[in-house]
Amino acid sequence: MRRGWFLPIAATLGFAFLYLPIISLVVFSFNESKLVTVWSGFSTKWYGELFADEQMLGAAWLSLRIAFFSASFALVLGTLCAVALVRFKRFRGRTVLAGTVSAPLVMPDVITGLALLLLFVGMESTLGWPAGRGIVTIIIAHTTFCMAYITVVVQSRLSDLDLSLEEAAMDLGATPFRVFFDITLPIIAPALVSGWLLGFTLSLDDLVIASFVSGPGSSTLPMVIFSKIKLGVSPDVNALATIIIGVVALGVVAATIIGLRGSSKVKRA
Amino acid sequence: MTLTGNQLPPPRRLRPWSGLERRLRDVGISGRTLVIAAPAIWLTVFFLVPLFVVFGISLATKQFGRPPYSPLLTTEGGTVQLTLHLSNYLKLFTDPLYVAAYLSSIRIALIATIITLFIGYPMAYAIARAPDKWRNILLMLVILPFWTSFLLRVYALSGFMRGNGVINQILAVFGIEPLVMMQTDFAVYVGIVYTYLPFMILPLYTTLVKLDTSLLEASADLGSRPWQTFLSVTLPLSLPGIIAGSMLVFIPAIGEFVIPSLLGGPETLMIGRVLWDEFFGATNWPRAAAVAVAMLVVVVIPILLLQKAQDAVVEKGK
């Protein structure tokens, strides 16, 4: 096939569009001046300022805890859901379950947030639980939408899975319980890891839903960042963004390398 | 003695969960039921029921107190009275603010989706046609921004486009007057395209990478020009990817709040922002609920379209 010049140029421009703003954000986090767009010398003082900001650190700690629990609960529920959808071809309500689990993926955040808040308020006045809103209500809300993403990730891995391995184990007398933990789980483990990480980052990133379902005194990191950048530019947000982007980039690059090694091993075997 | 085919025991029907099933059946539930029930109950309680609650509250009116809306059911002297207010919905149709906000949300989301498609399609195609060793790296470069904070990417973009931002500094080098980009609808378009581009590229890539290249060669052999081949072979075959990608951008863009509030101007009217202001600003929860119900009506057809297209993408991917 003839290779034209159009595709490479389009792709290069596209990637430039995706990356230039992020690169400039990282560069200006090391800027001396408070103006985040005018270069006036190298400095790491915004990082110092960031780590002295009690409010920011408190919010970060809260967000990390919420993300950890939401991703973990969502991993269990999402894996069960994926198993149900891939392994059980026919059961009552399968289409409803399949539709419901993927709906939070695209549901506008404002609707999800408002709906859950109204549910929590209604439950509080009729059942007396949850008393007030805060970390628990945010974890429930995040679990629900993280679960949708994890189901998709695990589902695609499960449907690629070679059934004959499980069948062989069954023929050799393994109980289904053992088959799941000894055969299925190790094979889908990479999907579980990436699903959990995806849930963790999504929870860490959510502003809109958390704003609805959080209570007084439980401001998550995105809520603090949002109110800061609403007021104008602040270089310590650049510093924070640089740290987050650095961690994510390291993680994704490492995962890609491990993934490539894994797939080349499979090819060799 | 030799075993012939018909002497072999019939193959056992494999039911992967039967053992767990047996164990749990003793307690009265089957393992299968448990696996299905746990996520199903969670989604019912925390996803489906809340949507009905929103609908219910949208029929109440604002009142002072906790919670700040009128009860739907009241008991007075032994009679239960159901009070439904349609005023919120009437307001949605009569107040030009709401109608304008819906129309402008749809317009902004639609235009942004089309721009994203035009930028994303060549990128997805380029990645799908790239040499093997490049393909994974390029895919990783598409996915990487998706993992970094959405909010921070919008912030990065605002630093790029503001009055003394990078773009205007580059323009200044060439002696071009600074452009006003921030707080305009233009900035909102750029914001949506920028943040949702990976959602467009991934499903497109999935359909394009599976494209049978022999079809393209056949088309070329039969004398088609490259653009004719593209229009008559590539484009129709990648249609599921186009629909899935477009819906993945269009649906969340309609309800977008962060982008219009950080990049758009005060006159950028989007329904997600109206809902937010109604709830947090005016604390009119029933009105916000009615806005949400109306938004749901707008996105329900795109959501169904998306699910159909996604099934097709998955089928093609096999």
Side-chain angles (χ1 to χ4, degrees):
Chain A
M1 213 184 97
R2 201 175 61 94
R3 283 186 196 285
W5 48 268
F6 174 72
L7 285 182
I9 289 178
T12 312
L13 288 178
F15 281 114
F17 172 59
L18 274 180
Y19 280 90
L20 284 180
I22 297 179
I23 292 168
S24 98
L25 175 105
V26 170
V27 168
F28 280 104
S29 76
F30 296 104
N31 192 11
E32 172 82 51
S33 150
K34 190 167 172 59
L35 290 167
V36 288
T37 45
V38 182
W39 186 258
S40 57
F42 181 85
S43 155
T44 53
K45 71 174 177 188
W46 302 114
Y47 290 84
E49 203 141 293
L50 177 69
F51 285 106
D53 188 337
E54 291 285 335
Q55 192 202 11
M56 199 84 117
L57 290 182
W61 176 232
L62 178 73
S63 280
L64 287 172
R65 278 182 297 163
I66 290 172
F68 176 82
F69 287 110
S70 309
S72 305
F73 295 143
L75 182 66
V76 175
L77 288 166
T79 307
L80 288 178
C81 195
V83 168
L85 290 175
V86 175
R87 284 289 182 268
F88 308 149
K89 286 295 172 213
R90 235 173 280 153
F91 58 85
R92 252 200 310 168
R94 189 179 183 281
T95 6
V96 179
L97 184 64
T100 316
V101 75
S102 58
L105 291 178
V106 286
M107 188 63 75
D109 285 347
V110 283
I111 298 182
T112 313
L114 178 70
L116 278 165
L117 170 84
L118 293 178
L119 174 84
F120 291 139
V121 169
M123 279 168 77
E124 193 184 359
S125 61
T126 51
L127 308 173
W129 185 90
R133 292 178 296 282
I135 183 164
V136 175
T137 48
I138 303 176
I139 289 176
I140 292 174
H142 283 186
T143 302
T144 310
F145 80 83
C146 291
M147 176 184 166
Y149 282 88
I150 292 175
T151 304
V152 171
V153 172
V154 178
Q155 209 178 351
S156 71
R157 180 81 186 175
L158 263 181
S159 49
D160 287 346
L161 192 73
D162 190 356
L163 266 179
S164 60
L165 282 173
E166 290 180 2
E167 285 165 3
M170 301 275 292
D171 284 350
L172 294 170
T175 62
F177 204 67
R178 251 195 96 180
V179 172
F180 181 75
F181 283 99
D182 286 358
I183 310 281
T184 319
L185 214 52
I187 298 178
I188 62 169
L192 298 185
V193 173
S194 56
W196 189 87
L197 286 172
L198 185 61
F200 188 84
T201 46
L202 287 169
S203 165
L204 209 56
D205 192 26
D206 167 63
L207 164 75
V208 174
I209 297 174
S211 299
F212 277 98
V213 299
S214 80
S218 53
S219 289
T220 62
L221 188 59
M223 288 160 75
V224 173
I225 294 176
F226 182 72
S227 60
K228 252 186 185 298
I229 55 189
K230 230 9 226 186
L231 294 175
V233 290
S234 48
D236 47 343
V237 173
N238 282 43
L240 178 72
T242 303
I243 294 172
I244 293 178
I245 290 166
V247 171
V248 168
L250 276 179
V252 173
V253 170
T256 308
I257 292 171
I258 293 168
L260 287 181
R261 278 215 193 124
S263 64
S264 62
K265 238 184 237 160
V266 170
K267 264 176 209 154
R268 253 181 278 133
Chain B
M1 181 192 145
T2 52
L3 279 173
T4 61
N6 44 17
Q7 279 173 311
L8 280 169
R12 202 144 47 93
R13 257 195 73 212
L14 291 168
R15 310 228 328 270
W17 302 91
S18 61
L20 185 66
E21 215 174 311
R22 215 176 307 122
R23 261 178 243 183
L24 284 159
R25 196 176 290 146
D26 299 338
V27 229
I29 32 171
S30 68
R32 188 186 146 101
T33 311
L34 196 73
V35 171
I36 298 169
I41 291 172
W42 183 281
L43 285 171
T44 308
V45 175
F46 295 116
F47 187 75
L48 290 180
V49 172
L51 294 181
F52 286 103
V53 175
V54 170
F55 184 63
I57 306 290
S58 73
L59 297 168
T61 52
K62 177 184 176 173
Q63 71 176 31
F64 292 100
R66 282 178 61 132
Y69 49 82
S70 63
L72 294 180
L73 288 174
T74 44
T75 39
E76 205 176 310
T79 51
V80 180
Q81 201 173 358
L82 176 69
T83 321
L84 300 176
H85 297 265
L86 294 171
S87 55
N88 292 312
Y89 289 99
L90 277 175
K91 194 84 182 161
L92 288 193
F93 286 108
T94 51
D95 190 328
L97 168 83
Y98 296 105
V99 181
Y102 279 104
L103 292 178
S104 118
S105 288
I106 294 173
R107 180 178 51 90
I108 290 177
L110 195 69
I111 295 176
T113 305
I114 293 169
I115 301 171
T116 316
L117 178 64
F118 276 97
I119 297 178
Y121 199 104
M123 288 180 77
Y125 203 31
I127 299 170
R129 290 281 155 270
D132 278 349
K133 62 171 181 185
W134 275 94
R135 202 182 294 155
N136 284 315
I137 295 169
L138 292 175
L139 262 187
M140 188 197 75
L141 285 176
V142 171
I143 296 168
L144 193 63
F146 174 74
W147 285 81
T148 54
S149 166
F150 173 81
L151 187 58
L152 291 174
R153 272 184 293 145
V154 176
Y155 173 67
L157 204 54
S158 79
F160 219 60
M161 293 196 295
R162 67 182 59 246
N164 56 354
V166 177
I167 292 181
N168 277 329
Q169 286 184 41
I170 294 170
L171 290 180
V173 172
F174 296 101
I176 300 169
E177 288 285 300
L179 301 172
V180 179
M181 287 173 283
M182 284 295 287
Q183 308 201 327
T184 61
D185 284 3
F186 171 76
V188 176
Y189 291 129
V190 177
I192 295 174
V193 174
Y194 181 67
T195 47
Y196 288 104
L197 192 56
F199 290 98
M200 179 66 86
I201 294 178
L202 292 177
L204 280 174
Y205 167 80
T206 314
T207 48
L208 286 171
V209 79
K210 303 286 171 189
L211 198 78
D212 190 352
T213 44
S214 61
L215 291 175
L216 305 180
E217 284 158 14
S219 169
D221 288 348
L222 293 170
S224 292
R225 303 190 149 275
W227 61 267
Q228 285 174 324
T229 305
F230 177 77
L231 287 181
S232 57
V233 181
T234 315
L235 204 58
L237 284 174
S238 59
L239 200 60
I242 295 176
I243 296 173
S246 301
M247 293 302 120
L248 281 175
V249 177
F250 180 76
I251 300 163
I254 280 202
E256 189 51 60
F257 163 73
V258 175
I259 294 172
S261 72
L262 286 182
L263 300 179
E267 77 285 354
T268 308
L269 210 50
M270 284 193 81
I271 203 65
R273 211 172 166 189
V274 169
L275 191 156
W276 181 283
D277 291 341
E278 210 61 78
F279 182 85
F280 289 100
T283 50
N284 193 340
W285 292 14
R287 182 73 51 79
V291 171
V293 171
M295 199 195 298
L296 215 50
V297 172
V298 174
V299 296
V300 86
I301 291 170
I303 287 181
L304 294 176
L305 208 62
L306 171 69
Q307 283 179 344
K308 253 204 150 89
Q310 262 173 341
D311 289 344
V313 170
V314 172
E315 281 306 306
K316 276 239 161 61
K318 271 179 186 162

